[in-house]
Amino acid sequence: MRFRMFLPALLAGAAFAQLPLHTPPPGKLFLLIQPHHDDHSWAYGHAGLVARLVESGYTGHYVRLTNDEKDGSGTWAQNDIVNHRETVEAIRNLGMTDVISLNWRNDHTDSVPHVDIRAQIVLLIRKMLPDIVMSYHPWGHYDRNPDHRKLARAVADAIWAASQEDQYPEHFALGLKPYRVPHQYYSQRNDYGRGSRPNVAVEISAEHVAKKGRSFWLHRNVRLDPAMARRVRERLAKEGKHIPQIEGLSDEEAAMRLQEASMEYRARQVGARHGVRYAEEYSYRGPYADLPEMHEFLRGLGVTP
Amino acid sequence: MVLWLLLAMAASLGAQERAVLAVTAEGEDYLLYAGGTLAAMAKEGAAVYVVCATACSGEDEAAAKALGFRRMDSLGYRRGNLAGISPTELRDRIVFHIRLRKPAAIFFPNPHAEYDEGFDRLHAGMAAEEAAFTAAQRNLQPSHAVVDLAPHVTPEWYFYAPPADPRRRQGEAGEPFVPQPKVVDIAAVLEVKVKAASLLRTAESRLAAELERRMNRSLPGQAAGRLYAERVRGLAKLSAAGTAYRAAEEFVYAGVAFQIPAAYRQP
């Protein structure tokens, strides 16, 4: 029994080891490819890194796999429309330009052929030539959401296929060429089991954290929960306590501030693990990550792998 | 009578020949990640057969021959599209080869490996792992009995993958029910593997073009022609890291003791 108790603690320690601080590369364009409307702005999402990249001059596009019809309390049609509108608002808050929605049915992507999704992403990659692609972790464990798993693998496969001369040769009639995305940042929950295992930490600023928190609650249809703020205040009041920062605010405004505070707390915790004020953790793959056996050879050619 | 005896002896020897089956997505996969271990087995007398899920070429066959292998068969699916075919069809075609060759060991891409961008390897690996299991089941593909292909248990399974996962050497919990890491010394056959890999000219040209696009400049003249030799040497070095070997290949391995708790194994 003692062994069983000890093992998870060891694994948790390994998951939260200090990681190297990573500086994102200079570049022009990134694609953030996610299963759903709000996957970029939750605690393990890419929103802080997005804000940092945009601040450094990047242009960013949000690619959404599904139509999000199941997410929210409205009818499928209502959720589809509202969630799309709120995604646009949330990604613009982070400085991204637009949402490219592939519009597959939410929670039904297991029945969509992998190669169909991959083909769409290959075309986007070859047309836009992103310096960076960000997405869910293609090799992560224990993610129960079918859309997450499906998209993540399609993205990693698309990065390979886009670089190959014999894949989708019809694209070349448009003047497109094989293209290898040089930098990839993957993320998903990393606090259960072996799960997603990050290898870098990226420092983000207080402003980036604030934008991430705001983008989170801008998905009002699914994220903004005034009843939660009301319950918190009621429980605190019973103990004779209160939170000065949300005094006098409506339940809705209080919920926004509490969610922003929660995001700030999470980013601060991650930052503390890596010796900075705020951070996010990623599984980063560089330009030659798929060829570890060639790194020494490439160094001999003056290339940093 | 003498002739009959000679024939019986030859048949008996044939039956004792150790067969090994390697399943590969493309002609280069098994060679890069398991070619040395397989070449050593061939050198020791095993009949090594390769089943290529895509359409392997004459170059691939020449490389297999250079490694001392008996035969390479292609299933003929399109490169990059194994995700788009029926997994059951792919599995059952591999089952056919297992029952045909009756291997003592099977090698296939590890479908559980992390950070492997080769999704053809993933799908070939999933099908092969399932085939290695189901080929032993009498009720699977009963039509095989009509052509005298009997169910077959393959005692040793080698899962191979690019050494991309930094934690690949960490065994997972669950032994003896989960295959465990295994590193194989290939120093004695490294040059054979290098020579065989250098025959993969088409794949090498593809890699050269790909690297030039990524680097945005040309490779020096001599470098383009030795990329696969460099790959093989680089892989051997990576896999030997942390061991006493000079050149190695690494696997996840399920041998004859697999699924037998230690208390029930003979010393």
Side-chain angles (χ1 to χ4, degrees):
Chain A
M1 181 55 88
R2 283 179 74 183
F3 173 74
R4 282 187 187 165
M5 296 291 285
F6 183 57
L7 189 61
L10 263 183
L11 291 172
F16 295 139
Q18 185 164 5
L19 298 170
L21 271 183
H22 167 87
T23 303
K28 294 177 183 168
L29 192 138
F30 68 79
L31 291 181
L32 174 52
I33 310 175
Q34 292 287 27
H36 307 116
H37 62 127
D38 56 345
D39 288 323
H40 61 293
S41 59
W42 75 307
Y44 293 88
H46 295 73
L49 174 58
V50 163
R52 177 169 168 172
L53 291 172
V54 168
E55 190 180 80
S56 71
Y58 269 88
T59 297
H61 303 276
Y62 192 75
V63 181
R64 184 184 69 152
L65 176 68
T66 73
N67 63 1
D68 291 308
E69 65 183 15
K70 312 290 190 310
D71 210 3
S73 54
T75 64
W76 290 359
Q78 286 166 339
N79 287 333
D80 185 347
I81 292 166
V82 172
N83 288 334
H84 183 269
R85 189 180 62 227
E86 291 180 355
T87 314
V88 172
E89 208 181 339
I91 64 108
R92 284 191 179 149
N93 171 61
L94 295 168
M96 281 186 278
T97 55
D98 56 350
V99 176
I100 300 164
S101 187
L102 305 183
N103 256 27
W104 294 99
R105 275 191 73 193
N106 187 188
D107 291 340
H108 279 263
T109 53
D110 265 348
S111 57
V112 178
H114 167 88
V115 288
D116 285 8
I117 299 171
R118 180 185 69 174
Q120 292 185 308
I121 299 169
V122 168
L123 183 61
L124 292 173
I125 287 173
R126 284 181 174 168
K127 176 64 182 170
M128 297 186 170
L129 310 177
D131 303 285
I132 291 174
V133 159
M134 296 176 258
S135 191
Y136 249 82
H137 199 304
W139 299 278
H141 297 193
Y142 306 113
D143 196 315
R144 297 114 173 143
N145 189 307
D147 300 338
H148 294 179
R149 290 195 303 263
K150 191 85 185 191
L151 176 82
R153 287 190 166 182
V155 167
D157 197 8
I159 285 173
W160 171 82
S163 72
Q164 299 294 305
E165 288 171 336
D166 63 345
Q167 301 296 312
Y168 307 101
E170 66 274 20
H171 292 174
F172 306 142
L174 296 170
L176 305 179
K177 292 179 177 167
Y179 175 75
R180 169 80 189 185
V181 177
H183 306 280
Q184 304 157 50
Y185 293 83
Y186 297 116
S187 176
Q188 74 171 56
R189 280 197 83 106
N190 58 27
D191 61 349
Y192 38 54
R194 290 177 66 176
S196 161
R197 294 170 296 180
N199 60 356
V200 297
V202 176
E203 185 177 11
I204 54 175
S205 69
E207 192 184 343
H208 304 149
V209 177
K211 283 185 174 177
K212 186 174 185 175
R214 181 177 166 79
S215 278
F216 183 81
W217 64 252
L218 278 171
H219 297 280
R220 293 178 178 84
N221 190 37
V222 295
R223 297 296 194 191
L224 197 54
D225 185 4
M228 174 273 293
R230 190 164 57 247
R231 284 194 303 273
V232 168
R233 287 204 275 212
E234 284 169 359
R235 281 182 61 179
L236 288 174
K238 279 182 189 169
E239 296 172 23
K241 295 174 184 169
H242 72 285
I243 302 173
Q245 289 90 337
I246 58 172
E247 279 292 296
L249 299 180
S250 68
D251 286 341
E252 186 173 285
E253 286 172 322
M256 293 171 186
R257 300 294 88 77
L258 287 174
Q259 286 175 340
E260 286 166 355
S262 164
M263 198 65 77
E264 193 270 348
Y265 174 73
R266 156 85 189 156
R268 188 152 37 87
Q269 271 194 321
V270 176
R273 285 207 285 274
H274 308 301
V276 293
R277 190 173 175 205
Y278 298 117
E280 290 174 337
E281 293 166 333
Y282 292 102
S283 178
Y284 166 75
R285 289 174 63 75
Y288 303 94
D290 58 324
L291 293 167
E293 68 273 19
M294 301 291 285
H295 287 186
E296 205 171 300
F297 171 76
L298 290 165
R299 281 191 203 98
L301 297 178
V303 175
T304 306
Chain B
M1 186 63 175
V2 174
L3 181 63
W4 182 86
L5 273 173
L6 283 172
L7 283 171
M9 278 173 67
S12 159
L13 282 174
Q16 286 170 8
E17 183 179 57
R18 176 179 158 86
V20 174
L21 185 70
V23 177
T24 190
E26 292 184 42
E28 67 174 47
D29 293 326
Y30 83 90
L31 193 160
L32 289 170
Y33 309 118
T37 306
L38 287 159
M41 289 177 168
K43 207 172 162 186
E44 287 165 9
V48 179
Y49 299 92
V50 181
V51 174
C52 182
T54 55
C56 282
S57 65
E59 286 176 3
D60 297 319
E61 287 173 17
K65 200 172 173 187
L67 289 165
F69 299 168
R70 185 71 57 89
R71 184 183 166 89
M72 174 177 262
D73 289 293
S74 284
L75 302 184
Y77 297 105
R78 272 200 306 143
R79 178 177 184 263
N81 281 276
L82 293 188
I85 63 161
S86 155
T88 309
E89 177 184 294
L90 181 55
R91 178 198 70 185
D92 287 351
R93 293 186 72 186
I94 298 170
V95 165
F96 183 95
H97 280 272
I98 291 172
R99 290 178 173 176
L100 181 67
R101 304 299 179 198
K102 301 177 176 41
I106 184 168
F107 289 68
F108 52 84
N110 186 354
H112 313 287
E114 293 179 27
Y115 305 102
D116 182 358
E117 285 186 18
F119 280 74
D120 275 353
R121 278 192 291 273
L122 169 73
H123 292 283
M126 285 196 294
E129 185 182 28
E130 211 181 305
F133 170 65
T134 54
Q137 295 177 350
R138 190 163 299 279
N139 291 326
L140 185 108
Q141 289 289 345
S143 59
H144 286 178
V146 177
V147 286
D148 292 331
L149 291 180
H152 176 74
V153 176
T154 307
E156 289 185 279
W157 299 9
Y158 289 79
F159 301 67
Y160 64 80
D165 180 0
R167 302 191 198 191
R168 64 192 181 277
R169 296 268 181 89
Q170 293 176 4
E172 294 192 53
E175 202 276 338
F177 296 100
V178 175
Q180 296 295 314
K182 179 185 178 87
V183 181
V184 177
D185 181 4
I186 63 157
V189 288
L190 179 62
E191 291 313 311
V192 176
K193 184 177 175 182
V194 167
K195 199 176 274 184
S198 301
L199 295 171
L200 303 176
R201 293 286 177 209
T202 305
E204 189 166 58
S205 303
R206 194 161 52 214
L207 178 62
E210 162 95 32
L211 283 177
E212 287 179 345
R213 280 194 296 272
R214 289 195 209 181
M215 297 189 301
N216 205 20
R217 63 179 162 94
S218 299
L219 284 163
Q222 296 155 340
R226 58 183 171 91
L227 288 179
Y228 265 56
E230 293 291 344
R231 280 192 87 174
V232 168
R233 292 187 198 286
L235 284 165
K237 200 170 171 183
L238 267 184
S239 294
T243 73
Y245 305 140
R246 181 172 59 82
E249 284 173 348
E250 50 193 309
F251 303 93
V252 173
Y253 173 75
V256 289
F258 181 52
Q259 297 188 343
I260 303 173
Y264 295 93
R265 292 179 207 158
Q266 287 186 351

